[in-house]
Amino acid sequence: METRLGYCLFIIFSEWIRLFTLTSILGGTKAEVRCIPSCQPPLVTAFPRELSAQRLAHFGEAPAEESVGFNEGSPGAKPAARGDAKHSVAELPGSEESWSKVQLLQRGNKTSCLQKDALNGQQKLSQPEVLSRPSALSPKNVTETSGGGAKEDSFYGENGAQVDVTVKEGEDVASWGRSRRSAETWSGFRAEGGEEASFSDQEEFQLTSSTFALSGDTAHNQAMVHWSGQNSSVILMLTKYYDFNSGRVTESSLWRSTDYGTTYEKLNEKVGPKTILSYLYVSPNNKRKIMLLTDPEVESSLLISLDEGASYQKHSLAFDILSLLFHPEQEDWILAYSHDQKLYVSVEFGRRWQLVHDGVVPNRFYWSRLGLDKDQGMIHLEISVSDGRSQYITCKLQNCSDGNKGKPFPGFIIPNSLVVQDEYVFIQVPIGGQSVHYVSYKRNAFYPMKLPKYTLPKDLQIISTDDNQVVAAIQDWHQNDSYNLYMSESRGLLFTLMLENVVSSGGPEGNIMIDLYEVAGIKGVFLSNKVVENQVKTYITYNKGRDWHLLQAPTTDLQGNKVYCEQPFCSLHLHLHVSENPYTSGNIVSKDSAPGIIIASGVVGPELTGTNVSIFITSDAGNTWREVFQEEYSVFFLNQGGSLVAIRHTPLPIRHIWLSFDEGRNWDKYSFTSSPLYVDGVLGEPGEDTLIMTIFGHFSHRSEWQLVKIDFRSIFQHRCTSEDYLTWQLHSEGEVCIMGMKRIFQKLKANVRCVKARDQYISQMSDSCPCTEADFECDYGFERQIDGSCTPAFWFVPSAASRDCITGDSFLNTTGYRKALSNNCTEGTLLKYSPRRQKCPSQVPRGLQLFTSEGTLVATMGKNVTFLVFLEEGLGSTTSVTVDFGDGTAISYVNISSIDDGVKHVYSKVGIYQVSATASNTLGFDRVTLYLHVSCQLEQVQLSAPSVVVKNKAVNLTTVLRPGNVGTVIYYWWFDNKTEPVVTLDGAMSFIFSKEGSHSITVQASVGNTVHQDQMTVAVYDYFQSHVLAFSSNLDELNPGVSEWREDICRVVKTSMVQVTGISEDQLLVTVLPGLPTTAEVFIVPEKRSRDGATDEKWAHLDQLSQVLLSALNQDLIQFTLKPGVQVNVYATRLSPAPLVDSSDSGHSGTAIIMLVSVVLMGLAVFVIYKFKRKIPGINTYTVEQPDKEQEVIPTVTSIAVPNPEGDKLTSMDHVDVQLDSKSRGYLPSHTDIKLSDEAPHVF
């Protein structure tokens, strides 16, 4: 046991010593891998200088038409200039909208990296073409963009900061990141010096190089580089320090070289020693025009250079730039998007700016295209109209007034759905609660995109519009981690299946990434990863998706051992983009100037995995593959693809690179520096004739940036001639007729070291091949069977009808096949499979559709409503259409093609209208109907109800709307704290309160999208008395008609009554009624603590209080001062105008008769009392005022809810009914003079 324990301690101690030694070698730092998405072309990447580990994160090179940069999630990635490229990427925050959106694929180096919030012709921020301001550091935040103009490649500097390298057209870029990564994770890891181990027996060659240190920039952690190209030796570099705590740039330096990077001059004094620069831009049409953006936290201005950065002019900005969009042809035309959603334009390369439009949706603005749009200076915009609604407009460059705005689509669209891509414009329209995708071809009318029936997309993204054809990725209703690929005909209307279950994953910024890669240099060749029985396998197609097959694995491995791999159980699988795991390697690259060569990382086996990844290369476009590295290397093209350069991923400093002159079969070792260098990245020179490359790095973790310029010209012997080339023929598993033609390409002979010219890699095409069934894909509604034939899908009924018949007299009758648009086959079976043009037959109209341009069934009175009418089947030239608007007007059109822009109508009255469209010809008709709710804007709702009501008696509740007629209104009534409302279509209702106390009533009126609310409180008692009050006329002159004023009058009147009569304020309620003359109502209610005794006694006490109050009123004792010199008296009138309770149907006439009898009897009683000068208890009368003697006034008391044990027909409630029907009769003053408002009274 002791021996075993001692042995274990020895082993542990030995391992500790080994790890300590290894840690010392590595600088004692932790390791971590950071992978850049493979949808990016190789980009230069530098990681924190505190890290001793470094590795190549990408291999390959960025084509001349592509640029790489960081998206908005990266710090310092501000606005990047966007050229008018075909394909581009836009990023979206991690949250994703549930509804689908038409979106574009970023396909820069032909990598299909599909991302949310796609936009056409625009590169996102953080590239010199288009900049965007990032928010947080993330080594994964990489965005590839494609387009003309300045190219910015980004890499990480020290402290984990981003370093943006701007590359001009033609620049070759390889990138890798110096990252922390555990030593044992590296395949074949070796200690210091081990980098050369596998090639130690090879001869070492020396490259011509020079080194320049950026002195004084030790702390800078970001950089942007621009190499002009175009036979220019100028290189510009902007270095800066990005403070992650404050989120801003605090230092910057501008460097310029005029000798291809041998030496650099610091230009801080020329731009201003205190000026802090944040971003660099280059005109895509004139590389001599440079634009620098200052840090907006310090100052908002632009520095402009017209001589490749030799001199600068400073111009102030009135706004902060978020992104830029350069015109594809006019070098001085720029669109700038600000942080407050305003779009500006400059036609003087930023010297002056003019506001185009506000409320522009981010990244949804596009330059027009000459030949498609009417005006070269036209702009396509998506503007935000309201929450959840946008509008697609076009306007002229410097005049975007309402009169100059165009509306290509007359209705509203779903926000962030406008995409202008080549000949196509894509939008999404809300119809019936669903999102419907529409497309316009060559700026013509919009039509719904037709997918195979029962394809219910959760998400739709536009991948490509090349070759006059749309390729879309659609996530169907049953899919979660995969998409189906669909391909359209030329108009982008009819889509057929291209490939099912393509792998998708979430990108580093919440974007969507599709495993689809288009090989550069050869049209129609795609690679894709597909899910097959829960395994991911890589497939290749040579005819743009018609046929797919697995990749053939290499016959031998790197050591020459035979590889046993038989399809379909085993094949080669490639990483086409970064997976959700950022530590999984995945990259692929090809080049237009080197057709047939593809370099990728992958595995051989039954499925794609992330372990034991090797580097593979093919020279014949994917037919055969070779393994070239079993370790991680970054490989990029040199000499127009005639040579390859490789740099090994290693955590150690290096001084060697490897070159191959025979497509990766053999590699030579070259030394590029005398001292080992921690490599941060590589920048290739854009010129085609001079072979110069710059390596970025540092000698130690605390040193300044070192720029190593490598000149490869010394290893090339001469200019290439025709004798240095050989030809090779493209084939697919031996079949040489691909896409209807035989294609022959040129490439350099093995080990020939000559400099290629730009035009010496053009393919040679032989005669076209005869057409066969393989040259045709299945048409819309048809599906490919196992034997390769196309038969109708179960849901499709072949019909002679065609959309062409809607606009013309003839159509192409399908045979179930359609020729691929980029296929060039001739004759053969062309006639057999091609559709035949036929005359459109007379046919009953079918599939008529009618909806509003807004996709809703609500319209506003007095405003235009646009109705869109579509017909699926029918001969348009002989089919007339009639639209009946339901208000007595209708309009007819002789053919449906004349109403592509919609039918407009204005409704002058509110209401619900039955709108119908009828399409008819000699054979029959089709009719469709919708019900349109026309309303006007509701401004206010007022609730009217008695202030005091009787318990267990129905109360009338009414509402008044302003304006009065607004259309269909839904009312929601809430009583007290109930959570469920009472819903009515009537603005009046009755309600019974069963409990005494204070009760709240809330009513809401809903019209369309507008909801207004009013609320009031009522008091409920078993019994009470009330009197109507009038005021002296001087109060009317000062009545402003506002509720607050009435509340104050209630308060002072109540206070005066309490002071004069001594009645408890708890038993008095006063409310001032709206309107003129000013009137009020006072309620005398029982005490809170009810007296003991019979009901008669309680009522008698209330009656006594009423007599006291009325006596004080009639003696002018109730008064108040409104303002100095204005005394207001309060009087009592006879009847109450308040609708206290609801009455029965038969109660009104009987009560009126009884009331008349009562009035007569009361008159007799008053006469007797007056004659005999005596009072009869319980009876109160008014006397007529006599001028010659003092009057005795005893007012009438209105009795409410007096018990009637004798069962007399005339009850106190009948008196209330009399009051309800007798509002026209009054006394002091007459009610005929009272103009009552509909506003609810306030109780005080």
Side-chain angles (χ1 to χ4, degrees), residues 970-1157:
I970 301 176
Y971 297 88
Y972 301 88
W973 306 81
W974 278 271
F975 297 93
D976 295 325
N977 294 323
K978 292 184 179 180
T979 58
E980 293 296 327
V982 177
V983 182
T984 67
L985 293 177
D986 192 358
M989 69 171 297
S990 297
F991 189 78
I992 298 176
F993 294 94
S994 58
K995 293 182 180 180
E996 287 191 78
S998 179
H999 296 268
S1000 65
I1001 306 172
T1002 303
V1003 63
Q1004 286 184 336
S1006 174
V1007 180
N1009 296 324
T1010 304
V1011 178
H1012 285 283
Q1013 173 180 304
D1014 195 15
Q1015 188 177 33
M1016 68 174 297
T1017 301
V1018 299
V1020 180
Y1021 294 95
D1022 277 330
Y1023 55 91
F1024 62 86
Q1025 290 193 10
S1026 69
H1027 302 280
V1028 176
L1029 306 177
F1031 300 88
S1032 53
S1033 60
N1034 56 356
L1035 182 63
D1036 294 341
E1037 300 173 358
L1038 301 173
N1039 185 346
V1042 296
S1043 60
E1044 291 82 2
W1045 181 86
R1046 291 191 293 272
E1047 291 175 4
D1048 288 336
I1049 298 300
C1050 289
R1051 178 174 50 80
V1052 297
V1053 170
K1054 180 178 178 180
T1055 301
S1056 178
M1057 288 181 176
V1058 171
Q1059 292 174 350
V1060 172
T1061 64
I1063 301 175
S1064 172
E1065 65 178 84
D1066 293 335
Q1067 289 188 267
L1068 289 177
L1069 297 176
V1070 179
T1071 176
V1072 176
L1073 305 175
L1076 292 175
T1078 308
T1079 57
E1081 190 167 9
V1082 60
F1083 298 89
I1084 307 173
V1085 299
E1087 295 177 295
K1088 289 185 177 179
R1089 293 184 179 181
S1090 180
R1091 291 166 168 263
D1092 296 332
T1095 304
D1096 291 343
E1097 296 179 2
K1098 297 179 181 179
W1099 177 257
H1101 175 71
L1102 209 62
D1103 185 64
Q1104 293 174 3
L1105 296 179
S1106 176
Q1107 292 181 37
V1108 172
L1109 177 60
L1110 290 175
S1111 178
L1113 288 168
N1114 287 326
Q1115 296 179 47
D1116 293 337
L1117 299 179
I1118 308 301
Q1119 54 185 235
F1120 61 91
T1121 301
L1122 188 64
K1123 66 178 183 177
V1126 179
Q1127 192 77 14
V1128 178
N1129 294 331
V1130 185
Y1131 307 99
T1133 61
R1134 176 179 294 249
L1135 298 176
S1136 169
L1140 298 181
V1141 297
D1142 192 13
S1143 58
S1144 62
D1145 295 336
S1146 60
H1148 290 290
S1149 59
T1151 303
I1153 295 174
I1154 295 173
M1155 188 61 187
L1156 291 175
V1157 175

Side-chain angles (χ1 to χ4, degrees), residues 531-548:
V531 180
V532 181
E533 297 179 352
N534 297 323
Q535 290 184 326
V536 177
K537 298 177 181 290
T538 301
Y539 288 78
I540 190 170
T541 178
Y542 291 91
N543 51 13
K544 204 172 182 179
R546 184 197 183 279
D547 302 293
W548 297 83

Side-chain angles (χ1 to χ4, degrees), residues 566-581:
E566 183 178 351
Q567 296 183 5
F569 309 103
C570 175
S571 60
L572 175 63
H573 309 287
L574 304 178
H575 288 280
L576 304 182
H577 78 108
V578 157
S579 67
E580 294 183 60
N581 181 0

Side-chain angles (χ1 to χ4, degrees), residues 302 304 315-317 319 332 334 336 344-355 398:
L302 285 175
I304 297 173
H315 301 271
S316 298
L317 287 174
F319 59 95
D332 292 336
I334 310 173
Y344 296 85
V345 63
S346 173
V347 294
E348 302 178 40
F349 199 70
R351 297 180 188 85
R352 294 182 181 84
W353 296 91
Q354 178 180 337
L355 178 65
Q398 293 178 297

Side-chain angles (χ1 to χ4, degrees), residues 579-775:
S579 67
E580 294 183 60
N581 181 0
Y583 301 100
T584 301
S585 175
N587 199 2
I588 184 170
V589 66
S590 58
K591 185 177 177 65
D592 285 325
S593 60
I597 297 179
I598 309 171
I599 309 168
S601 62
V603 297
V604 174
E607 64 176 329
L608 180 66
T609 64
T611 58
N612 300 321
V613 176
S614 298
I615 307 300
F616 298 88
I617 188 171
T618 176
S619 302
D620 55 6
N623 284 282
T624 59
W625 293 81
R626 302 184 308 276
E627 185 180 26
V628 292
F629 296 111
Q630 289 181 335
E631 298 174 296
E632 296 193 56
Y633 275 78
S634 180
V635 183
F636 61 96
F637 292 99
L638 183 69
N639 189 27
Q640 291 296 313
S643 308
L644 300 175
V645 178
I647 303 180
R648 181 171 178 259
H649 292 268
T650 173
L652 304 174
I654 63 173
R655 64 186 187 91
H656 295 100
I657 60 176
W658 303 86
L659 271 71
S660 174
F661 301 94
D662 57 2
E663 299 173 341
R665 292 176 175 84
N666 297 286
W667 296 87
D668 296 329
K669 181 172 64 174
Y670 287 82
S671 172
F672 67 91
T673 179
S674 58
S675 301
L677 183 75
Y678 289 98
V679 176
D680 300 322
V682 172
L683 175 64
E685 186 264 340
E688 302 297 338
D689 298 328
T690 54
L691 303 173
I692 297 175
M693 182 173 69
T694 300
I695 294 183
F696 301 84
H698 60 281
F699 292 129
S700 67
H701 303 310
R702 296 295 180 183
S703 68
E704 52 273 297
W705 295 105
Q706 303 292 328
L707 307 181
V708 181
K709 170 189 170 184
I710 302 176
D711 193 339
F712 290 97
R713 289 177 293 185
S714 61
I715 64 175
F716 292 95
Q717 300 163 351
H718 61 275
R719 289 277 183 178
C720 296
T721 65
S722 59
E723 296 179 356
D724 297 319
Y725 288 87
L726 56 82
T727 59
W728 67 278
Q729 187 168 38
L730 177 67
H731 67 93
S732 172
E733 297 182 330
E735 176 58 51
V736 295
C737 282
I738 299 175
M739 300 293 287
M741 60 184 177
K742 299 176 183 178
R743 282 180 281 185
I744 299 175
F745 298 89
Q746 295 182 9
K747 67 178 179 180
L748 284 178
K749 296 178 182 178
N751 296 314
V752 172
R753 301 190 182 187
C754 65
V755 179
K756 291 178 61 177
R758 182 175 295 188
D759 58 350
Q760 288 182 310
Y761 58 85
I762 301 175
S763 63
Q764 299 175 356
M765 185 180 68
S766 66
D767 294 336
S768 299
C769 298
C771 292
T772 65
E773 189 269 343
D775 294 307

